[in-house]
Amino acid sequence: MARLSVTMAGAAVLVGVLAALPAPATAQYPDRPIKMIVPWAAGGDTDNIFRPFAVELQKHIGQPVVIANVGGASGTVGAREAKNAAPDGYTVYAVHDYIHLTFYAGISDVKYSDFEPICLVAATPSVLTASAKTPWKNWQELAADAKKRPGEITVGATLGSTSHIFPALIEKQAGVKFKFVSYEGLAPRMNALLGGHINLTDSNLTQKGKVEAGLLRFIAIASEKRDPESPDVPTLKELGMNIVFEVVRGLLVPKGTPAPVRAKLEDACTKATKEPAFAQAMKVQGTRVAFLNANDYGKFLARIDDENKVIMTDLGLIKK
């Protein structure tokens, strides 16, 4: 009995010592600003979507969320920096579908499964957009010209990314051949299109003002139905091409980030996407709020990874 009493006394002392120790670091998370890596230049679509999101996110996470634009190599420089960041919740990665494509194209060894999902944020339908300096007023005129001049009509794209895959899908279904010209992100592509240096690119409804000013021309949108903001723009499905293509964007964190930290980020993300100011900002960006929680986003990422592998294989672009 004496021995048992000593053991119990020792346990009591141990409990007291543990109670006096500071709580784990994750209990205080976050206690300093959070860096959000956007793997494209400032002023592009991804940047313009995540900046207003970061404003709402920091309201609910309780610390500043600072955008870090880490561009280069079709978004893979930023992806690699995010993958190699400390898994402590102080670096989050603003991603879109390109991460699947650049991996399968052999451009990068970083894949979506190198990260943990936090939430899906937004979805943006792609619009095939022409320079106003081109002669076509609609898809029928463009298709007829493309068939007469295979490989001559130029399309600006970030090679191996969504802006490459979208027009490549149109090529395949329409039976035409484009000439792809490489640009790093949307902003330089749009400058080239406005200057008439290229004929076409993948853009979205944020360019509506330039279309109304006569600087650009929307050819077709890759949504299920016509968009009420631009009701005169036909869908690709109407034109006989079974293509629905949205660029989806969400938040990831490095593999190994503690579950309590991920849960706090997910909760803040859930609240941020419900903010009316964010919905209004997305409308301006030709985008819809498309929230998924961490579990559902993880399943979604696995599904679209499989779909993108099939697309890349079908288009003859797969290297892995």
Side-chain angles (χ1 to χ4, degrees):
M1 292 297 294
R3 186 172 181 176
L4 178 59
S5 298
V6 170
T7 302
M8 292 178 65
V13 171
L14 179 59
V15 169
V17 169
L18 290 174
L21 290 174
T26 54
Q28 287 88 37
Y29 173 84
D31 61 5
R32 62 181 188 270
I34 294 167
K35 178 167 74 171
M36 181 184 289
I37 292 179
V38 173
W40 308 99
D45 281 353
T46 300
D47 183 72
N48 288 339
I49 285 169
F50 278 103
R51 281 187 185 273
F53 177 72
V55 170
E56 305 304 329
L57 184 67
Q58 67 187 9
K59 287 182 188 176
H60 298 289
I61 200 68
Q63 288 288 341
V65 177
V66 181
I67 298 282
N69 295 101
V70 185
S74 296
T76 63
V77 175
R80 193 168 292 108
E81 180 172 323
K83 176 184 175 181
N84 294 331
D88 55 10
Y90 291 99
T91 300
V92 297
Y93 173 33
V95 71
H96 72 62
D97 318 59
Y98 86 96
I99 192 169
H100 310 280
L101 303 171
T102 52
F103 175 74
Y104 287 121
I107 295 171
S108 173
D109 59 355
V110 181
K111 52 189 182 298
Y112 87 96
S113 55
D114 291 326
F115 301 89
E116 301 278 6
I118 297 299
C119 63
L120 182 69
V121 171
T124 310
S126 290
V127 182
L128 184 65
T129 305
S131 167
K133 298 182 180 182
T134 58
W136 328 295
K137 299 297 187 291
N138 53 48
W139 167 253
Q140 290 79 5
E141 293 178 5
L142 166 56
D145 191 18
K147 287 177 180 178
K148 290 178 186 175
R149 301 188 295 127
E152 293 185 30
I153 291 173
T154 53
V155 180
T158 302
L159 298 183
S161 191
T162 52
S163 60
H164 183 191
I165 300 308
F166 172 54
L169 288 170
I170 294 173
E171 263 190 325
K172 185 173 180 65
Q173 290 210 18
V176 298
K177 185 66 177 174
F178 297 134
K179 179 181 179 181
F180 287 92
V181 182
S182 179
Y183 292 91
E184 188 63 39
L186 178 67
R189 281 191 282 120
M190 293 311 301
N191 288 337
L193 192 68
L194 288 164
H197 306 299
I198 53 174
N199 304 133
L200 297 166
T201 198
D202 161 32
S203 77
N204 54 56
L205 294 177
T206 58
Q207 306 302 322
K208 181 182 176 183
K210 295 184 180 71
V211 171
E212 293 171 342
L215 301 174
L216 297 174
R217 191 174 299 124
F218 285 156
I219 301 296
I221 188 169
S223 51
E224 285 283 357
K225 298 178 180 179
R226 293 195 183 201
D227 192 284
E229 296 294 317
S230 294
D232 295 333
V233 182
T235 68
L236 288 166
K237 294 188 82 168
E238 285 179 61
L239 299 171
M241 290 168 278
N242 188 25
I243 300 172
V244 175
F245 195 89
E246 293 183 315
V247 179
V248 291
R249 294 175 171 89
L251 281 190
L252 305 176
V253 291
K255 208 77 167 174
T257 301
V261 170
R262 301 200 312 269
K264 287 190 177 183
L265 283 166
E266 180 184 4
D267 180 64
C269 185
T270 303
K271 293 171 180 174
T273 55
K274 292 178 180 178
E275 289 283 356
F278 180 60
Q280 181 57 37
M282 292 305 92
K283 184 177 180 180
V284 171
Q285 293 302 320
T287 294
R288 63 183 178 87
V289 178
F291 173 77
L292 288 176
N293 64 27
N295 184 59
D296 291 340
Y297 186 34
K299 294 176 182 177
F300 175 82
L301 284 168
R303 177 172 63 79
I304 65 170
D305 188 69
D306 290 341
E307 291 175 357
N308 278 299
K309 185 176 182 180
V310 170
I311 290 170
M312 295 288 280
T313 302
D314 195 38
L315 294 173
L317 297 172
I318 197 161
K319 297 293 190 296
K320 290 187 179 181

